[in-house]
Amino acid sequence: MEKARAELVFQVGMVVDSVDEVLENLRSCFDLEEDSVVVKSTKEQAERGVSVENTYDGRPVEFYIKTARLNFGGIDFEYIEPLNKEGGDPYSDWLRAHGQGIHHINLKLKDRSVLDRMMEERNIHPHLVTKVGDLALETYDFRRLFGFIGELGDMVVGPMAKAYYEEKN
């Protein structure tokens, strides 16, 4: 039986009440690589015309988040603040149910289609599908199988990306 192969775990995603507050707390306790801190808002991107398609538990949904990404000890830390705290999207629902904390890990797989086939055979579908232009990512709720939510995308991002792509060339 063919098995999926994880090449790299490169990101930890956390859902938080306030990206700004978390960054302030991090800066008060850690010597951060300030040039690695990137703050974005999907609402601002949408206002600039960037199209994002989201499907949450099989249904189209529109929601906005504010994110901060930074190099934290060689791993990409992604902080996600849902801009709607009322629920109805994966991040505000998570925050309401669990409070702040780790939401997902991001994996780069050697052959993604192997895992996709295995999940399809087990009738496990992506929890969240996000498409921005030609790029796509899926988030699977693997908690019952593996004890974590996994985000699987088309590319490696953050501090490990350069070394990953240099090794591939």
Side-chain angles (χ1 to χ4, degrees):
M1 172 187 208
E2 191 176 21
K3 296 181 182 178
R5 180 183 205 99
E7 283 189 290
L8 186 66
V9 174
F10 60 90
Q11 181 186 77
V12 177
M14 281 83 52
V15 176
V16 298
D17 288 311
S18 169
V19 161
D20 295 331
E21 186 176 309
V22 167
L23 285 175
E24 184 179 313
N25 292 336
L26 283 168
R27 287 179 174 121
S28 73
C29 294
F30 295 97
D31 183 17
L32 299 180
E33 291 182 29
E34 286 296 332
D35 61 342
S36 78
V37 178
V38 177
V39 178
K40 291 184 180 178
S41 164
T42 59
K43 186 169 182 71
E44 291 172 3
Q45 290 175 311
E47 289 168 354
R48 287 194 318 268
V50 176
S51 175
V52 178
E53 296 177 34
N54 292 300
T55 306
Y56 175 44
D57 286 337
R59 65 183 180 3
V61 65
E62 185 176 323
F63 62 90
Y64 300 105
I65 58 176
K66 181 176 183 177
T67 61
R69 293 189 31 233
L70 59 117
N71 179 350
F72 196 84
I75 291 244
D76 187 57
F77 268 23
E78 177 184 43
Y79 289 97
I80 303 164
E81 173 188 340
L83 297 180
N84 164 27
K85 307 284 196 277
E86 300 306 312
D89 67 80
Y91 304 115
S92 62
D93 286 351
W94 179 270
L95 190 60
R96 291 170 59 88
H98 305 285
Q100 294 195 136
I102 294 174
H103 177 264
H104 66 267
I105 60 172
N106 203 325
L107 308 166
K108 178 66 175 158
L109 301 177
K110 180 126 180 104
D111 184 354
R112 167 74 188 280
S113 64
V114 173
L115 185 67
D116 287 340
R117 273 195 311 276
M118 289 191 303
M119 293 303 103
E120 185 67 32
E121 289 168 5
R122 294 175 185 215
N123 201 30
I124 297 172
H125 304 284
H127 179 59
L128 172 65
V129 177
T130 299
K131 295 180 182 174
V132 181
D134 293 338
L135 296 177
L137 66 87
E138 290 85 25
T139 302
Y140 283 89
D141 189 344
F142 291 141
R143 288 179 292 168
R144 288 193 176 196
L145 289 174
F146 314 127
F148 65 89
I149 294 174
E151 185 175 284
L152 310 172
D154 294 332
M155 57 189 225
V156 174
V157 297
M160 300 170 96
K162 183 178 179 186
Y164 174 82
Y165 289 111
E166 284 175 354
E167 183 179 300
K168 294 291 172 195
N169 290 330

PDB file of all heavy atoms in Angstrom, residues 45-72:
ATOM      1  N   GLN A  45      -7.172  43.163   1.378  1.00  0.00           N
ATOM      2  CA  GLN A  45      -6.850  42.573   0.078  1.00  0.00           C
ATOM      3  C   GLN A  45      -8.088  42.556  -0.824  1.00  0.00           C
ATOM      4  O   GLN A  45      -8.003  42.861  -2.009  1.00  0.00           O
ATOM      5  CB  GLN A  45      -6.295  41.159   0.256  1.00  0.00           C
ATOM      6  CG  GLN A  45      -4.911  41.138   0.885  1.00  0.00           C
ATOM      7  CD  GLN A  45      -4.446  39.725   1.170  1.00  0.00           C
ATOM      8  OE1 GLN A  45      -5.172  38.930   1.757  1.00  0.00           O
ATOM      9  NE2 GLN A  45      -3.223  39.427   0.767  1.00  0.00           N
ATOM     10  N   ALA A  46      -9.254  42.193  -0.255  1.00  0.00           N
ATOM     11  CA  ALA A  46     -10.499  42.165  -1.026  1.00  0.00           C
ATOM     12  C   ALA A  46     -10.846  43.557  -1.532  1.00  0.00           C
ATOM     13  O   ALA A  46     -11.300  43.713  -2.673  1.00  0.00           O
ATOM     14  CB  ALA A  46     -11.637  41.607  -0.174  1.00  0.00           C
ATOM     15  N   GLU A  47     -10.611  44.576  -0.698  1.00  0.00           N
ATOM     16  CA  GLU A  47     -10.889  45.957  -1.118  1.00  0.00           C
ATOM     17  C   GLU A  47      -9.979  46.388  -2.256  1.00  0.00           C
ATOM     18  O   GLU A  47     -10.332  47.277  -3.031  1.00  0.00           O
ATOM     19  CB  GLU A  47     -10.749  46.893   0.086  1.00  0.00           C
ATOM     20  CG  GLU A  47     -11.871  46.722   1.102  1.00  0.00           C
ATOM     21  CD  GLU A  47     -11.615  47.415   2.432  1.00  0.00           C
ATOM     22  OE1 GLU A  47     -10.496  47.953   2.654  1.00  0.00           O
ATOM     23  OE2 GLU A  47     -12.532  47.408   3.276  1.00  0.00           O
ATOM     24  N   ARG A  48      -8.803  45.751  -2.374  1.00  0.00           N
ATOM     25  CA  ARG A  48      -7.877  46.036  -3.475  1.00  0.00           C
ATOM     26  C   ARG A  48      -8.146  45.141  -4.693  1.00  0.00           C
ATOM     27  O   ARG A  48      -7.414  45.188  -5.666  1.00  0.00           O
ATOM     28  CB  ARG A  48      -6.437  45.849  -3.009  1.00  0.00           C
ATOM     29  CG  ARG A  48      -5.947  46.934  -2.087  1.00  0.00           C
ATOM     30  CD  ARG A  48      -4.428  46.917  -1.907  1.00  0.00           C
ATOM     31  NE  ARG A  48      -3.824  45.615  -1.742  1.00  0.00           N
ATOM     32  CZ  ARG A  48      -3.598  45.003  -0.569  1.00  0.00           C
ATOM     33  NH1 ARG A  48      -3.947  45.582   0.551  1.00  0.00           N
ATOM     34  NH2 ARG A  48      -3.024  43.816  -0.525  1.00  0.00           N
ATOM     35  N   GLY A  49      -9.166  44.285  -4.607  1.00  0.00           N
ATOM     36  CA  GLY A  49      -9.540  43.464  -5.747  1.00  0.00           C
ATOM     37  C   GLY A  49      -8.975  42.059  -5.767  1.00  0.00           C
ATOM     38  O   GLY A  49      -9.157  41.343  -6.754  1.00  0.00           O
ATOM     39  N   VAL A  50      -8.281  41.632  -4.719  1.00  0.00           N
ATOM     40  CA  VAL A  50      -7.751  40.271  -4.659  1.00  0.00           C
ATOM     41  C   VAL A  50      -8.915  39.327  -4.372  1.00  0.00           C
ATOM     42  O   VAL A  50      -9.613  39.467  -3.368  1.00  0.00           O
ATOM     43  CB  VAL A  50      -6.665  40.126  -3.565  1.00  0.00           C
ATOM     44  CG1 VAL A  50      -6.209  38.680  -3.460  1.00  0.00           C
ATOM     45  CG2 VAL A  50      -5.488  41.046  -3.863  1.00  0.00           C
ATOM     46  N   SER A  51      -9.128  38.389  -5.259  1.00  0.00           N
ATOM     47  CA  SER A  51     -10.247  37.456  -5.130  1.00  0.00           C
ATOM     48  C   SER A  51      -9.831  36.221  -4.338  1.00  0.00           C
ATOM     49  O   SER A  51      -8.815  35.586  -4.646  1.00  0.00           O
ATOM     50  CB  SER A  51     -10.724  37.043  -6.519  1.00  0.00           C
ATOM     51  OG  SER A  51     -11.717  36.053  -6.416  1.00  0.00           O
ATOM     52  N   VAL A  52     -10.620  35.888  -3.325  1.00  0.00           N
ATOM     53  CA  VAL A  52     -10.393  34.699  -2.512  1.00  0.00           C
ATOM     54  C   VAL A  52     -11.689  33.903  -2.488  1.00  0.00           C
ATOM     55  O   VAL A  52     -12.760  34.452  -2.233  1.00  0.00           O
ATOM     56  CB  VAL A  52      -9.982  35.063  -1.067  1.00  0.00           C
ATOM     57  CG1 VAL A  52      -9.805  33.807  -0.227  1.00  0.00           C
ATOM     58  CG2 VAL A  52      -8.711  35.893  -1.051  1.00  0.00           C
ATOM     59  N   GLU A  53     -11.591  32.621  -2.795  1.00  0.00           N
ATOM     60  CA  GLU A  53     -12.741  31.723  -2.721  1.00  0.00           C
ATOM     61  C   GLU A  53     -12.526  30.778  -1.551  1.00  0.00           C
ATOM     62  O   GLU A  53     -11.488  30.126  -1.461  1.00  0.00           O
ATOM     63  CB  GLU A  53     -12.870  30.911  -4.005  1.00  0.00           C
ATOM     64  CG  GLU A  53     -13.164  31.722  -5.238  1.00  0.00           C
ATOM     65  CD  GLU A  53     -13.197  30.847  -6.479  1.00  0.00           C
ATOM     66  OE1 GLU A  53     -13.624  29.670  -6.388  1.00  0.00           O
ATOM     67  OE2 GLU A  53     -12.764  31.350  -7.523  1.00  0.00           O
ATOM     68  N   ASN A  54     -13.512  30.692  -0.659  1.00  0.00           N
ATOM     69  CA  ASN A  54     -13.432  29.788   0.486  1.00  0.00           C
ATOM     70  C   ASN A  54     -14.622  28.846   0.490  1.00  0.00           C
ATOM     71  O   ASN A  54     -15.752  29.254   0.242  1.00  0.00           O
ATOM     72  CB  ASN A  54     -13.461  30.577   1.801  1.00  0.00           C
ATOM     73  CG  ASN A  54     -12.222  31.408   1.989  1.00  0.00           C
ATOM     74  OD1 ASN A  54     -11.118  30.888   2.033  1.00  0.00           O
ATOM     75  ND2 ASN A  54     -12.402  32.710   2.110  1.00  0.00           N
ATOM     76  N   THR A  55     -14.349  27.589   0.794  1.00  0.00           N
ATOM     77  CA  THR A  55     -15.388  26.596   1.020  1.00  0.00           C
ATOM     78  C   THR A  55     -15.136  26.003   2.400  1.00  0.00           C
ATOM     79  O   THR A  55     -14.041  25.512   2.670  1.00  0.00           O
ATOM     80  CB  THR A  55     -15.343  25.482  -0.048  1.00  0.00           C
ATOM     81  OG1 THR A  55     -15.406  26.084  -1.338  1.00  0.00           O
ATOM     82  CG2 THR A  55     -16.486  24.507   0.120  1.00  0.00           C
ATOM     83  N   TYR A  56     -16.128  26.103   3.266  1.00  0.00           N
ATOM     84  CA  TYR A  56     -16.024  25.648   4.661  1.00  0.00           C
ATOM     85  C   TYR A  56     -17.047  24.541   4.878  1.00  0.00           C
ATOM     86  O   TYR A  56     -18.244  24.765   4.705  1.00  0.00           O
ATOM     87  CB  TYR A  56     -16.274  26.839   5.580  1.00  0.00           C
ATOM     88  CG  TYR A  56     -16.327  26.574   7.058  1.00  0.00           C
ATOM     89  CD1 TYR A  56     -15.404  25.747   7.687  1.00  0.00           C
ATOM     90  CD2 TYR A  56     -17.297  27.183   7.837  1.00  0.00           C
ATOM     91  CE1 TYR A  56     -15.448  25.539   9.057  1.00  0.00           C
ATOM     92  CE2 TYR A  56     -17.352  26.989   9.211  1.00  0.00           C
ATOM     93  CZ  TYR A  56     -16.429  26.157   9.808  1.00  0.00           C
ATOM     94  OH  TYR A  56     -16.478  25.957  11.171  1.00  0.00           O
ATOM     95  N   ASP A  57     -16.559  23.357   5.202  1.00  0.00           N
ATOM     96  CA  ASP A  57     -17.416  22.177   5.371  1.00  0.00           C
ATOM     97  C   ASP A  57     -18.363  21.998   4.182  1.00  0.00           C
ATOM     98  O   ASP A  57     -19.559  21.729   4.333  1.00  0.00           O
ATOM     99  CB  ASP A  57     -18.198  22.247   6.681  1.00  0.00           C
ATOM    100  CG  ASP A  57     -17.307  21.974   7.894  1.00  0.00           C
ATOM    101  OD1 ASP A  57     -16.247  21.326   7.728  1.00  0.00           O
ATOM    102  OD2 ASP A  57     -17.670  22.401   8.995  1.00  0.00           O
ATOM    103  N   GLY A  58     -17.815  22.200   2.969  1.00  0.00           N
ATOM    104  CA  GLY A  58     -18.553  21.934   1.751  1.00  0.00           C
ATOM    105  C   GLY A  58     -19.427  23.061   1.235  1.00  0.00           C
ATOM    106  O   GLY A  58     -20.053  22.913   0.193  1.00  0.00           O
ATOM    107  N   ARG A  59     -19.484  24.194   1.939  1.00  0.00           N
ATOM    108  CA  ARG A  59     -20.322  25.289   1.470  1.00  0.00           C
ATOM    109  C   ARG A  59     -19.493  26.552   1.273  1.00  0.00           C
ATOM    110  O   ARG A  59     -18.598  26.828   2.059  1.00  0.00           O
ATOM    111  CB  ARG A  59     -21.489  25.544   2.408  1.00  0.00           C
ATOM    112  CG  ARG A  59     -21.112  26.022   3.765  1.00  0.00           C
ATOM    113  CD  ARG A  59     -22.320  26.197   4.665  1.00  0.00           C
ATOM    114  NE  ARG A  59     -22.198  26.643   5.993  1.00  0.00           N
ATOM    115  CZ  ARG A  59     -21.169  27.033   6.697  1.00  0.00           C
ATOM    116  NH1 ARG A  59     -19.992  27.069   6.176  1.00  0.00           N
ATOM    117  NH2 ARG A  59     -21.253  27.408   7.943  1.00  0.00           N
ATOM    118  N   PRO A  60     -19.800  27.314   0.212  1.00  0.00           N
ATOM    119  CA  PRO A  60     -19.080  28.573   0.005  1.00  0.00           C
ATOM    120  C   PRO A  60     -19.331  29.516   1.179  1.00  0.00           C
ATOM    121  O   PRO A  60     -20.450  29.597   1.698  1.00  0.00           O
ATOM    122  CB  PRO A  60     -19.694  29.139  -1.276  1.00  0.00           C
ATOM    123  CG  PRO A  60     -20.376  28.000  -1.924  1.00  0.00           C
ATOM    124  CD  PRO A  60     -20.788  27.066  -0.827  1.00  0.00           C
ATOM    125  N   VAL A  61     -18.280  30.217   1.598  1.00  0.00           N
ATOM    126  CA  VAL A  61     -18.404  31.153   2.715  1.00  0.00           C
ATOM    127  C   VAL A  61     -17.449  32.319   2.488  1.00  0.00           C
ATOM    128  O   VAL A  61     -16.366  32.149   1.938  1.00  0.00           O
ATOM    129  CB  VAL A  61     -18.129  30.452   4.071  1.00  0.00           C
ATOM    130  CG1 VAL A  61     -16.706  29.966   4.182  1.00  0.00           C
ATOM    131  CG2 VAL A  61     -18.478  31.330   5.240  1.00  0.00           C
ATOM    132  N   GLU A  62     -17.897  33.488   2.878  1.00  0.00           N
ATOM    133  CA  GLU A  62     -17.054  34.679   2.797  1.00  0.00           C
ATOM    134  C   GLU A  62     -16.732  35.117   4.223  1.00  0.00           C
ATOM    135  O   GLU A  62     -17.626  35.250   5.057  1.00  0.00           O
ATOM    136  CB  GLU A  62     -17.792  35.803   2.074  1.00  0.00           C
ATOM    137  CG  GLU A  62     -16.937  37.031   1.857  1.00  0.00           C
ATOM    138  CD  GLU A  62     -17.677  38.096   1.058  1.00  0.00           C
ATOM    139  OE1 GLU A  62     -18.424  37.738   0.144  1.00  0.00           O
ATOM    140  OE2 GLU A  62     -17.489  39.276   1.377  1.00  0.00           O
ATOM    141  N   PHE A  63     -15.457  35.286   4.501  1.00  0.00           N
ATOM    142  CA  PHE A  63     -15.033  35.759   5.812  1.00  0.00           C
ATOM    143  C   PHE A  63     -13.693  36.460   5.663  1.00  0.00           C
ATOM    144  O   PHE A  63     -13.001  36.302   4.661  1.00  0.00           O
ATOM    145  CB  PHE A  63     -14.937  34.614   6.832  1.00  0.00           C
ATOM    146  CG  PHE A  63     -13.916  33.559   6.484  1.00  0.00           C
ATOM    147  CD1 PHE A  63     -12.598  33.657   6.925  1.00  0.00           C
ATOM    148  CD2 PHE A  63     -14.274  32.462   5.722  1.00  0.00           C
ATOM    149  CE1 PHE A  63     -11.669  32.687   6.609  1.00  0.00           C
ATOM    150  CE2 PHE A  63     -13.341  31.486   5.391  1.00  0.00           C
ATOM    151  CZ  PHE A  63     -12.033  31.596   5.842  1.00  0.00           C
ATOM    152  N   TYR A  64     -13.355  37.238   6.665  1.00  0.00           N
ATOM    153  CA  TYR A  64     -12.118  38.004   6.630  1.00  0.00           C
ATOM    154  C   TYR A  64     -11.304  37.736   7.888  1.00  0.00           C
ATOM    155  O   TYR A  64     -11.862  37.539   8.972  1.00  0.00           O
ATOM    156  CB  TYR A  64     -12.415  39.500   6.508  1.00  0.00           C
ATOM    157  CG  TYR A  64     -13.177  39.822   5.251  1.00  0.00           C
ATOM    158  CD1 TYR A  64     -14.533  40.125   5.302  1.00  0.00           C
ATOM    159  CD2 TYR A  64     -12.552  39.788   4.016  1.00  0.00           C
ATOM    160  CE1 TYR A  64     -15.240  40.401   4.143  1.00  0.00           C
ATOM    161  CE2 TYR A  64     -13.245  40.056   2.855  1.00  0.00           C
ATOM    162  CZ  TYR A  64     -14.586  40.363   2.924  1.00  0.00           C
ATOM    163  OH  TYR A  64     -15.280  40.622   1.778  1.00  0.00           O
ATOM    164  N   ILE A  65      -9.994  37.719   7.704  1.00  0.00           N
ATOM    165  CA  ILE A  65      -9.077  37.501   8.815  1.00  0.00           C
ATOM    166  C   ILE A  65      -7.929  38.499   8.741  1.00  0.00           C
ATOM    167  O   ILE A  65      -7.610  39.016   7.666  1.00  0.00           O
ATOM    168  CB  ILE A  65      -8.506  36.060   8.815  1.00  0.00           C
ATOM    169  CG1 ILE A  65      -7.776  35.762   7.491  1.00  0.00           C
ATOM    170  CG2 ILE A  65      -9.589  35.040   9.121  1.00  0.00           C
ATOM    171  CD1 ILE A  65      -7.084  34.406   7.422  1.00  0.00           C
ATOM    172  N   LYS A  66      -7.342  38.748   9.871  1.00  0.00           N
ATOM    173  CA  LYS A  66      -6.097  39.500   9.955  1.00  0.00           C
ATOM    174  C   LYS A  66      -5.048  38.490  10.384  1.00  0.00           C
ATOM    175  O   LYS A  66      -5.282  37.700  11.304  1.00  0.00           O
ATOM    176  CB  LYS A  66      -6.213  40.629  10.986  1.00  0.00           C
ATOM    177  CG  LYS A  66      -4.966  41.472  11.111  1.00  0.00           C
ATOM    178  CD  LYS A  66      -5.210  42.616  12.081  1.00  0.00           C
ATOM    179  CE  LYS A  66      -4.010  43.527  12.172  1.00  0.00           C
ATOM    180  NZ  LYS A  66      -4.298  44.668  13.078  1.00  0.00           N
ATOM    181  N   THR A  67      -3.921  38.485   9.704  1.00  0.00           N
ATOM    182  CA  THR A  67      -2.873  37.528  10.041  1.00  0.00           C
ATOM    183  C   THR A  67      -1.558  38.243  10.322  1.00  0.00           C
ATOM    184  O   THR A  67      -1.302  39.322   9.793  1.00  0.00           O
ATOM    185  CB  THR A  67      -2.628  36.511   8.902  1.00  0.00           C
ATOM    186  OG1 THR A  67      -2.207  37.212   7.729  1.00  0.00           O
ATOM    187  CG2 THR A  67      -3.860  35.683   8.616  1.00  0.00           C
ATOM    188  N   ALA A  68      -0.769  37.611  11.147  1.00  0.00           N
ATOM    189  CA  ALA A  68       0.622  38.011  11.344  1.00  0.00           C
ATOM    190  C   ALA A  68       1.440  36.743  11.192  1.00  0.00           C
ATOM    191  O   ALA A  68       1.114  35.706  11.766  1.00  0.00           O
ATOM    192  CB  ALA A  68       0.833  38.623  12.719  1.00  0.00           C
ATOM    193  N   ARG A  69       2.488  36.829  10.379  1.00  0.00           N
ATOM    194  CA  ARG A  69       3.404  35.708  10.220  1.00  0.00           C
ATOM    195  C   ARG A  69       4.786  36.189  10.581  1.00  0.00           C
ATOM    196  O   ARG A  69       5.159  37.320  10.287  1.00  0.00           O
ATOM    197  CB  ARG A  69       3.357  35.185   8.791  1.00  0.00           C
ATOM    198  CG  ARG A  69       2.017  34.548   8.487  1.00  0.00           C
ATOM    199  CD  ARG A  69       1.936  33.812   7.178  1.00  0.00           C
ATOM    200  NE  ARG A  69       3.177  33.217   6.769  1.00  0.00           N
ATOM    201  CZ  ARG A  69       3.741  33.426   5.578  1.00  0.00           C
ATOM    202  NH1 ARG A  69       3.188  34.203   4.693  1.00  0.00           N
ATOM    203  NH2 ARG A  69       4.871  32.843   5.275  1.00  0.00           N
ATOM    204  N   LEU A  70       5.540  35.301  11.232  1.00  0.00           N
ATOM    205  CA  LEU A  70       6.891  35.655  11.621  1.00  0.00           C
ATOM    206  C   LEU A  70       7.736  34.416  11.810  1.00  0.00           C
ATOM    207  O   LEU A  70       7.224  33.318  12.015  1.00  0.00           O
ATOM    208  CB  LEU A  70       6.875  36.477  12.913  1.00  0.00           C
ATOM    209  CG  LEU A  70       6.248  35.808  14.125  1.00  0.00           C
ATOM    210  CD1 LEU A  70       7.270  35.632  15.219  1.00  0.00           C
ATOM    211  CD2 LEU A  70       5.087  36.643  14.607  1.00  0.00           C
ATOM    212  N   ASN A  71       9.036  34.625  11.728  1.00  0.00           N
ATOM    213  CA  ASN A  71      10.004  33.563  11.984  1.00  0.00           C
ATOM    214  C   ASN A  71      10.144  33.425  13.492  1.00  0.00           C
ATOM    215  O   ASN A  71      10.577  34.347  14.165  1.00  0.00           O
ATOM    216  CB  ASN A  71      11.343  33.937  11.348  1.00  0.00           C
ATOM    217  CG  ASN A  71      12.407  32.890  11.585  1.00  0.00           C
ATOM    218  OD1 ASN A  71      12.253  31.953  12.352  1.00  0.00           O
ATOM    219  ND2 ASN A  71      13.527  33.059  10.906  1.00  0.00           N
ATOM    220  N   PHE A  72       9.785  32.265  14.002  1.00  0.00           N
ATOM    221  CA  PHE A  72       9.920  32.012  15.435  1.00  0.00           C
ATOM    222  C   PHE A  72      10.773  30.764  15.594  1.00  0.00           C
ATOM    223  O   PHE A  72      10.282  29.646  15.470  1.00  0.00           O
ATOM    224  CB  PHE A  72       8.539  31.827  16.088  1.00  0.00           C
ATOM    225  CG  PHE A  72       8.567  31.935  17.585  1.00  0.00           C
ATOM    226  CD1 PHE A  72       8.512  33.172  18.196  1.00  0.00           C
ATOM    227  CD2 PHE A  72       8.656  30.802  18.369  1.00  0.00           C
ATOM    228  CE1 PHE A  72       8.534  33.290  19.575  1.00  0.00           C
ATOM    229  CE2 PHE A  72       8.688  30.907  19.742  1.00  0.00           C
ATOM    230  CZ  PHE A  72       8.630  32.145  20.347  1.00  0.00           C
TER     231      PHE A  72
END
